[in-house]
PDB file of all heavy atoms in Angstrom:
ATOM      1  N   GLN A  60     214.166 233.457   6.696  1.00 84.00           N
ATOM      2  CA  GLN A  60     214.599 232.061   6.071  1.00 84.00           C
ATOM      3  C   GLN A  60     213.302 231.194   6.077  1.00 84.00           C
ATOM      4  O   GLN A  60     213.236 230.466   5.044  1.00 84.00           O
ATOM      5  CB  GLN A  60     215.617 231.559   6.993  1.00 84.00           C
ATOM      6  CG  GLN A  60     216.384 230.517   6.387  1.00 84.00           C
ATOM      7  CD  GLN A  60     217.585 229.963   7.168  1.00 84.00           C
ATOM      8  OE1 GLN A  60     217.568 230.187   8.431  1.00 84.00           O
ATOM      9  NE2 GLN A  60     218.659 229.565   6.616  1.00 84.00           N
ATOM     10  N   GLY A  61     212.412 231.182   7.104  1.00 84.00           N
ATOM     11  CA  GLY A  61     211.376 230.432   7.037  1.00 84.00           C
ATOM     12  C   GLY A  61     210.322 230.637   5.883  1.00 84.00           C
ATOM     13  O   GLY A  61     209.822 229.859   5.207  1.00 84.00           O
ATOM     14  N   ARG A  62     210.138 232.083   5.746  1.00 85.00           N
ATOM     15  CA  ARG A  62     209.296 232.389   4.491  1.00 85.00           C
ATOM     16  C   ARG A  62     209.922 232.032   3.292  1.00 85.00           C
ATOM     17  O   ARG A  62     209.201 231.649   2.334  1.00 85.00           O
ATOM     18  CB  ARG A  62     209.193 233.975   4.637  1.00 85.00           C
ATOM     19  CG  ARG A  62     208.170 234.460   5.592  1.00 85.00           C
ATOM     20  CD  ARG A  62     207.883 235.953   5.457  1.00 85.00           C
ATOM     21  NE  ARG A  62     207.640 236.481   6.732  1.00 85.00           N
ATOM     22  CZ  ARG A  62     208.382 237.255   7.429  1.00 85.00           C
ATOM     23  NH1 ARG A  62     209.645 237.628   6.857  1.00 85.00           N
ATOM     24  NH2 ARG A  62     208.280 237.680   8.610  1.00 85.00           N
ATOM     25  N   LYS A  63     211.313 232.203   3.171  1.00 86.00           N
ATOM     26  CA  LYS A  63     211.993 231.706   1.864  1.00 86.00           C
ATOM     27  C   LYS A  63     211.816 230.276   1.622  1.00 86.00           C
ATOM     28  O   LYS A  63     211.309 229.920   0.590  1.00 86.00           O
ATOM     29  CB  LYS A  63     213.376 232.017   2.056  1.00 86.00           C
ATOM     30  CG  LYS A  63     214.334 231.533   0.872  1.00 86.00           C
ATOM     31  CD  LYS A  63     215.719 231.961   1.162  1.00 86.00           C
ATOM     32  CE  LYS A  63     216.668 230.881   0.717  1.00 86.00           C
ATOM     33  NZ  LYS A  63     218.038 230.990   0.994  1.00 86.00           N
ATOM     34  N   TYR A  64     211.886 229.322   2.614  1.00 85.00           N
ATOM     35  CA  TYR A  64     211.733 227.999   2.442  1.00 85.00           C
ATOM     36  C   TYR A  64     210.244 227.601   2.255  1.00 85.00           C
ATOM     37  O   TYR A  64     209.974 226.655   1.476  1.00 85.00           O
ATOM     38  CB  TYR A  64     212.333 227.170   3.594  1.00 85.00           C
ATOM     39  CG  TYR A  64     213.801 227.204   3.507  1.00 85.00           C
ATOM     40  CD1 TYR A  64     214.537 227.767   4.563  1.00 85.00           C
ATOM     41  CD2 TYR A  64     214.544 226.782   2.361  1.00 85.00           C
ATOM     42  CE1 TYR A  64     216.054 227.701   4.543  1.00 85.00           C
ATOM     43  CE2 TYR A  64     215.909 226.872   2.288  1.00 85.00           C
ATOM     44  CZ  TYR A  64     216.595 227.248   3.437  1.00 85.00           C
ATOM     45  OH  TYR A  64     218.034 227.455   3.327  1.00 85.00           O
ATOM     46  N   LYS A  65     209.296 228.299   2.842  1.00 87.00           N
ATOM     47  CA  LYS A  65     207.939 228.053   2.776  1.00 87.00           C
ATOM     48  C   LYS A  65     207.604 228.380   1.211  1.00 87.00           C
ATOM     49  O   LYS A  65     206.813 227.596   0.529  1.00 87.00           O
ATOM     50  CB  LYS A  65     207.033 228.941   3.569  1.00 87.00           C
ATOM     51  CG  LYS A  65     205.717 228.552   3.562  1.00 87.00           C
ATOM     52  CD  LYS A  65     204.756 229.258   4.536  1.00 87.00           C
ATOM     53  CE  LYS A  65     203.330 229.114   4.577  1.00 87.00           C
ATOM     54  NZ  LYS A  65     202.642 228.791   3.255  1.00 87.00           N
ATOM     55  N   ALA A  66     208.128 229.468   0.656  1.00 86.00           N
ATOM     56  CA  ALA A  66     207.890 229.880  -0.692  1.00 86.00           C
ATOM     57  C   ALA A  66     208.359 228.799  -1.626  1.00 86.00           C
ATOM     58  O   ALA A  66     207.793 228.472  -2.601  1.00 86.00           O
ATOM     59  CB  ALA A  66     208.472 231.320  -1.088  1.00 86.00           C
ATOM     60  N   LEU A  67     209.565 228.227  -1.383  1.00 85.00           N
ATOM     61  CA  LEU A  67     210.140 227.156  -2.149  1.00 85.00           C
ATOM     62  C   LEU A  67     209.311 225.958  -2.164  1.00 85.00           C
ATOM     63  O   LEU A  67     209.143 225.228  -3.138  1.00 85.00           O
ATOM     64  CB  LEU A  67     211.616 226.877  -1.773  1.00 85.00           C
ATOM     65  CG  LEU A  67     212.603 227.962  -2.064  1.00 85.00           C
ATOM     66  CD1 LEU A  67     214.082 227.646  -1.511  1.00 85.00           C
ATOM     67  CD2 LEU A  67     212.796 228.169  -3.600  1.00 85.00           C
ATOM     68  N   LEU A  68     208.828 225.686  -0.997  1.00 84.00           N
ATOM     69  CA  LEU A  68     207.933 224.501  -0.811  1.00 84.00           C
ATOM     70  C   LEU A  68     206.591 224.557  -1.579  1.00 84.00           C
ATOM     71  O   LEU A  68     206.128 223.706  -2.215  1.00 84.00           O
ATOM     72  CB  LEU A  68     207.648 224.153   0.713  1.00 84.00           C
ATOM     73  CG  LEU A  68     206.772 222.939   0.988  1.00 84.00           C
ATOM     74  CD1 LEU A  68     207.509 221.554   0.531  1.00 84.00           C
ATOM     75  CD2 LEU A  68     206.485 222.854   2.355  1.00 84.00           C
ATOM     76  N   ASP A  69     205.976 225.794  -1.465  1.00 83.00           N
ATOM     77  CA  ASP A  69     204.822 226.090  -2.126  1.00 83.00           C
ATOM     78  C   ASP A  69     205.065 225.971  -3.701  1.00 83.00           C
ATOM     79  O   ASP A  69     204.121 225.444  -4.450  1.00 83.00           O
ATOM     80  CB  ASP A  69     204.196 227.488  -1.727  1.00 83.00           C
ATOM     81  CG  ASP A  69     203.694 227.546  -0.461  1.00 83.00           C
ATOM     82  OD1 ASP A  69     203.443 226.430   0.073  1.00 83.00           O
ATOM     83  OD2 ASP A  69     203.672 228.635   0.139  1.00 83.00           O
ATOM     84  N   LYS A  70     206.141 226.471  -4.196  1.00 83.00           N
ATOM     85  CA  LYS A  70     206.478 226.495  -5.657  1.00 83.00           C
ATOM     86  C   LYS A  70     206.675 224.981  -5.963  1.00 83.00           C
ATOM     87  O   LYS A  70     206.169 224.511  -7.028  1.00 83.00           O
ATOM     88  CB  LYS A  70     207.798 227.146  -5.889  1.00 83.00           C
ATOM     89  CG  LYS A  70     208.171 227.170  -7.336  1.00 83.00           C
ATOM     90  CD  LYS A  70     209.527 227.994  -7.446  1.00 83.00           C
ATOM     91  CE  LYS A  70     209.841 228.044  -8.988  1.00 83.00           C
ATOM     92  NZ  LYS A  70     211.084 228.751  -9.104  1.00 83.00           N
TER      93      LYS A  70
END
Side-chain angles (χ1 to χ4, degrees):
Q60 196 175 29
R62 281 190 216 106
K63 175 181 144 186
Y64 288 121
K65 184 176 183 328
L67 288 172
L68 180 64
D69 290 341
K70 183 178 178 183

